[in-house]
Amino acid sequence: MDGLEARIVELEIQTALQEDLIGSLNDTVAKMQQTLDLQQAQLRLLYQRIQDRSPGAEAGAHQPADDVPPHY
């Protein structure tokens, strides 16, 4: 029975370590999701600000004169 008991103890240890690892990975994924959500919100805000600044950009009305440097 000692061999069987040792195997059971080893399996319990492995299970405990795996549960700890899964918890740690879950925390990491949750933090990454929060970061991604924040970045998406920031990107939406920047996109909206760009749209608000250039009303003609929505229709694709690009003027080549806008690209001319000021010294010309």
Side-chain angles (χ1 to χ4, degrees):
M1 281 302 243
D2 290 335
L4 183 58
E5 187 176 333
R7 288 180 61 193
I8 291 172
V9 169
E10 183 63 30
L11 289 173
E12 288 175 343
I13 291 171
Q14 288 178 0
T15 302
L17 291 173
Q18 287 175 351
E19 287 175 356
D20 185 50
L21 178 61
I22 289 171
S24 175
L25 289 172
N26 188 45
D27 292 343
T28 301
V29 170
K31 287 177 187 176
M32 291 177 73
Q33 184 63 47
Q34 289 175 344
T35 301
L36 181 59
D37 291 343
L38 177 62
Q39 289 175 344
Q40 287 176 334
Q42 290 172 337
L43 184 60
R44 276 190 226 101
L45 179 63
L46 288 173
Y47 181 76
Q48 186 61 44
R49 285 185 181 175
I50 289 170
Q51 294 301 316
D52 292 344
R53 282 186 149 187
S54 56
E58 293 175 7
H62 178 72
Q63 301 295 328
D66 295 339
D67 294 337
V68 176
H71 62 279
Y72 285 111

